[in-house]
Amino acid sequence: MLNKYARAFFTRVLTPFAAFLIRRGVSPDTVTFIGTAGVVAGALVFYPRGEFFWGTVVITLFVFSDLVDGNMARQLGRSSRWGAFLDSTLDRVADGAIFGGFALWYAGSGDDNILCAVSLFCLASGQVVSYTKARGEAIGLPVAVNGLVERAERLVISLVAAGFAGLHKFGVPGIDVLLPVALWIVAVGSLVTLVQRVVTVRREAEEADQEAANETPQESETAS
C-alpha cells in the first residue's frame, strides 16, 4: 500500500527538487551514495546512544534520496540496470544500519538482550525477504505476491516509532515503549512476508516445471 500510494505522492512532490539537482550537474548515483551515507550516519551515530528522535530526523532527511535518484534517472532518460542494482544494494546497507543501530543500543545502554535479538532478527529477515524476491526473479519467476510487511512498511513503522520514542528524553512519559512494540510488529510481519514469498515461489516453480514437462513431449513429437 505504501509503495503504491505514498511513493507516487512523494515522487510528484520531489520532482522539482530532482530537476534542480540535474540543472546543477548532480548525478543520480551521487544522490544514491549521499543518501545512503546520511542514513548510515544517522543510524549508527545516534541510535546506539539512545538519541532516537534526532537519529530519526537525520535519517528521514536522507531516506528520500531513494525517490530522488530514481526521479532524476527518469528525467534524464538514464534508467539502467547498474542504477537499479546500485540502488537496491545500498538500500540493504541502509536497512542494516538502522536495525543494527537499534541492536547496538539494546546490547549496550538499553540493556535488553531480547530486544537486541529482535532487532537482529528484523535486520536479517529484511535482507532475506529481499533476497527471496530477487532470487525468484533471477530464475525466471514473477514472484507475484504483495507481502504483509515490505521495505516501505518496515521503515515507516520503525522510524515513526523510534522518532516518537525519542521524545521520552524530552520528558514525554511512557512513550519509549513504542519502539519495542514496533520492532516486534516488524519482526512478526517480516516472518509472515518471508513465508508468503517462499510459498509463492514454490507454487510458481512447480507450475513452471509442470509447463516445461508438458511442452517436452510435444516438442519430441514435432521433431519426429
Side-chain angles (χ1 to χ4, degrees), residues 50-54 105 161-180:
E51 298 287 347
F52 295 119
F53 177 79
W54 292 114
W105 162 250
F164 278 111
L167 295 177
H168 179 73
K169 288 202 169 186
F170 294 89
V172 180
I175 201 166
D176 53 327
V177 73
L178 288 178
L179 181 55

Short mmCIF file of all heavy atoms in Angstrom, two decimals, residues 50-54 105 161-180:
data_model
loop_
_atom_site.label_atom_id
_atom_site.label_comp_id
_atom_site.label_asym_id
_atom_site.label_seq_id
_atom_site.Cartn_x
_atom_site.Cartn_y
_atom_site.Cartn_z
N GLY A 50 20.96 6.03 22.09
CA GLY A 50 19.60 6.24 22.56
C GLY A 50 18.99 7.54 22.11
O GLY A 50 17.91 7.92 22.57
N GLU A 51 19.64 8.24 21.17
CA GLU A 51 19.12 9.50 20.63
C GLU A 51 18.21 9.20 19.44
O GLU A 51 18.51 9.49 18.29
CB GLU A 51 20.28 10.41 20.20
CG GLU A 51 21.21 10.83 21.33
CD GLU A 51 20.55 11.86 22.25
OE1 GLU A 51 19.49 12.41 21.89
OE2 GLU A 51 21.10 12.09 23.34
N PHE A 52 17.05 8.60 19.76
CA PHE A 52 16.17 8.12 18.69
C PHE A 52 15.47 9.24 17.93
O PHE A 52 15.23 9.12 16.73
CB PHE A 52 15.12 7.16 19.27
CG PHE A 52 15.73 5.91 19.82
CD1 PHE A 52 15.59 5.57 21.16
CD2 PHE A 52 16.46 5.05 19.02
CE1 PHE A 52 16.14 4.42 21.68
CE2 PHE A 52 17.03 3.90 19.52
CZ PHE A 52 16.87 3.59 20.85
N PHE A 53 15.14 10.32 18.62
CA PHE A 53 14.46 11.43 17.93
C PHE A 53 15.37 12.06 16.89
O PHE A 53 15.01 12.17 15.72
CB PHE A 53 13.99 12.48 18.94
CG PHE A 53 13.34 13.67 18.28
CD1 PHE A 53 12.03 13.59 17.84
CD2 PHE A 53 14.04 14.85 18.08
CE1 PHE A 53 11.42 14.69 17.21
CE2 PHE A 53 13.46 15.94 17.47
CZ PHE A 53 12.15 15.87 17.02
N TRP A 54 16.57 12.48 17.31
CA TRP A 54 17.46 13.16 16.38
C TRP A 54 17.99 12.21 15.31
O TRP A 54 18.19 12.60 14.16
CB TRP A 54 18.60 13.83 17.14
CG TRP A 54 18.14 14.96 18.00
CD1 TRP A 54 18.17 15.02 19.36
CD2 TRP A 54 17.52 16.17 17.55
NE1 TRP A 54 17.62 16.21 19.80
CE2 TRP A 54 17.21 16.93 18.70
CE3 TRP A 54 17.19 16.69 16.30
CZ2 TRP A 54 16.60 18.17 18.64
CZ3 TRP A 54 16.57 17.94 16.22
CH2 TRP A 54 16.29 18.65 17.38
N TRP A 105 22.08 -0.37 20.60
CA TRP A 105 21.52 0.29 21.77
C TRP A 105 21.07 -0.73 22.81
O TRP A 105 21.42 -0.63 24.00
CB TRP A 105 20.34 1.17 21.37
CG TRP A 105 19.44 1.55 22.51
CD1 TRP A 105 18.16 1.11 22.74
CD2 TRP A 105 19.75 2.43 23.60
NE1 TRP A 105 17.65 1.67 23.89
CE2 TRP A 105 18.60 2.48 24.44
CE3 TRP A 105 20.86 3.18 23.95
CZ2 TRP A 105 18.56 3.25 25.60
CZ3 TRP A 105 20.83 3.95 25.11
CH2 TRP A 105 19.69 3.98 25.91
N ALA A 161 8.08 4.98 15.03
CA ALA A 161 8.12 4.56 16.44
C ALA A 161 9.38 5.08 17.12
O ALA A 161 9.33 5.55 18.27
CB ALA A 161 8.04 3.04 16.53
N ALA A 162 10.52 4.99 16.44
CA ALA A 162 11.77 5.46 17.03
C ALA A 162 11.73 6.96 17.28
O ALA A 162 12.17 7.45 18.33
CB ALA A 162 12.95 5.11 16.11
N GLY A 163 11.19 7.70 16.31
CA GLY A 163 11.10 9.15 16.46
C GLY A 163 10.26 9.55 17.67
O GLY A 163 10.66 10.40 18.48
N PHE A 164 9.10 8.92 17.81
CA PHE A 164 8.24 9.23 18.96
C PHE A 164 8.85 8.73 20.26
O PHE A 164 8.75 9.41 21.29
CB PHE A 164 6.85 8.63 18.75
CG PHE A 164 5.95 9.46 17.87
CD1 PHE A 164 5.59 9.03 16.61
CD2 PHE A 164 5.48 10.69 18.31
CE1 PHE A 164 4.78 9.80 15.79
CE2 PHE A 164 4.66 11.48 17.51
CZ PHE A 164 4.31 11.03 16.24
N ALA A 165 9.47 7.55 20.20
CA ALA A 165 10.11 7.02 21.42
C ALA A 165 11.20 7.97 21.91
O ALA A 165 11.44 8.09 23.11
CB ALA A 165 10.70 5.63 21.14
N GLY A 166 11.86 8.65 20.97
CA GLY A 166 12.91 9.60 21.33
C GLY A 166 12.42 10.79 22.12
O GLY A 166 13.20 11.48 22.80
N LEU A 167 11.09 11.05 22.06
CA LEU A 167 10.53 12.16 22.82
C LEU A 167 10.56 11.89 24.32
O LEU A 167 10.33 12.80 25.13
CB LEU A 167 9.09 12.43 22.36
CG LEU A 167 8.93 12.91 20.91
CD1 LEU A 167 7.46 13.06 20.58
CD2 LEU A 167 9.67 14.23 20.70
N HIS A 168 10.85 10.65 24.69
CA HIS A 168 10.98 10.32 26.12
C HIS A 168 12.06 11.17 26.77
O HIS A 168 11.94 11.56 27.94
CB HIS A 168 11.32 8.83 26.26
CG HIS A 168 11.50 8.39 27.67
ND1 HIS A 168 10.45 8.24 28.56
CD2 HIS A 168 12.63 8.06 28.38
CE1 HIS A 168 10.91 7.84 29.73
NE2 HIS A 168 12.23 7.72 29.65
N LYS A 169 13.11 11.48 26.02
CA LYS A 169 14.20 12.31 26.57
C LYS A 169 13.80 13.77 26.72
O LYS A 169 14.51 14.55 27.35
CB LYS A 169 15.44 12.19 25.70
CG LYS A 169 16.13 10.84 25.81
CD LYS A 169 17.58 10.90 25.38
CE LYS A 169 18.33 9.64 25.74
NZ LYS A 169 19.77 9.73 25.45
N PHE A 170 12.67 14.13 26.10
CA PHE A 170 12.18 15.50 26.25
C PHE A 170 11.10 15.57 27.33
O PHE A 170 10.41 16.59 27.45
CB PHE A 170 11.61 16.00 24.92
CG PHE A 170 12.66 16.16 23.85
CD1 PHE A 170 12.99 15.10 23.02
CD2 PHE A 170 13.33 17.37 23.69
CE1 PHE A 170 13.95 15.24 22.03
CE2 PHE A 170 14.30 17.51 22.70
CZ PHE A 170 14.62 16.45 21.88
N GLY A 171 10.94 14.49 28.08
CA GLY A 171 10.02 14.50 29.20
C GLY A 171 8.65 13.90 28.95
O GLY A 171 7.77 13.98 29.81
N VAL A 172 8.44 13.31 27.77
CA VAL A 172 7.15 12.68 27.48
C VAL A 172 7.16 11.28 28.11
O VAL A 172 7.94 10.43 27.70
CB VAL A 172 6.89 12.58 25.97
CG1 VAL A 172 5.54 11.93 25.70
CG2 VAL A 172 6.96 13.96 25.33
N PRO A 173 6.30 11.02 29.09
CA PRO A 173 6.37 9.75 29.83
C PRO A 173 5.76 8.57 29.06
O PRO A 173 4.79 8.72 28.32
CB PRO A 173 5.55 10.04 31.09
CG PRO A 173 4.55 11.07 30.65
CD PRO A 173 5.26 11.92 29.63
N GLY A 174 6.37 7.40 29.22
CA GLY A 174 5.80 6.17 28.71
C GLY A 174 5.89 5.96 27.22
O GLY A 174 5.55 4.88 26.72
N ILE A 175 6.32 6.96 26.48
CA ILE A 175 6.28 6.85 25.03
C ILE A 175 7.42 5.99 24.48
O ILE A 175 7.37 5.55 23.33
CB ILE A 175 6.33 8.27 24.40
CG1 ILE A 175 5.76 8.22 22.98
CG2 ILE A 175 7.74 8.84 24.43
CD1 ILE A 175 5.45 9.58 22.40
N ASP A 176 8.43 5.72 25.30
CA ASP A 176 9.56 4.92 24.84
C ASP A 176 9.17 3.47 24.56
O ASP A 176 9.93 2.73 23.92
CB ASP A 176 10.70 4.96 25.85
CG ASP A 176 10.25 4.59 27.25
OD1 ASP A 176 9.10 4.90 27.62
OD2 ASP A 176 11.04 3.98 27.99
N VAL A 177 7.97 3.06 25.00
CA VAL A 177 7.52 1.69 24.76
C VAL A 177 7.18 1.46 23.28
O VAL A 177 7.08 0.32 22.83
CB VAL A 177 6.30 1.37 25.65
CG1 VAL A 177 5.05 2.08 25.13
CG2 VAL A 177 6.05 -0.13 25.72
N LEU A 178 7.02 2.55 22.52
CA LEU A 178 6.62 2.42 21.12
C LEU A 178 7.65 1.67 20.28
O LEU A 178 7.29 0.91 19.39
CB LEU A 178 6.38 3.81 20.51
CG LEU A 178 5.12 4.54 20.97
CD1 LEU A 178 5.05 5.91 20.30
CD2 LEU A 178 3.87 3.73 20.64
N LEU A 179 8.92 1.90 20.56
CA LEU A 179 9.96 1.25 19.75
C LEU A 179 9.96 -0.26 19.94
O LEU A 179 9.98 -1.00 18.94
CB LEU A 179 11.33 1.84 20.05
CG LEU A 179 12.49 1.25 19.22
CD1 LEU A 179 12.20 1.37 17.72
CD2 LEU A 179 13.80 1.95 19.57
N PRO A 180 9.95 -0.78 21.17
CA PRO A 180 9.88 -2.24 21.31
C PRO A 180 8.65 -2.84 20.63
O PRO A 180 8.75 -3.89 19.99
CB PRO A 180 9.82 -2.44 22.83
CG PRO A 180 10.52 -1.24 23.39
CD PRO A 180 10.16 -0.11 22.48
#
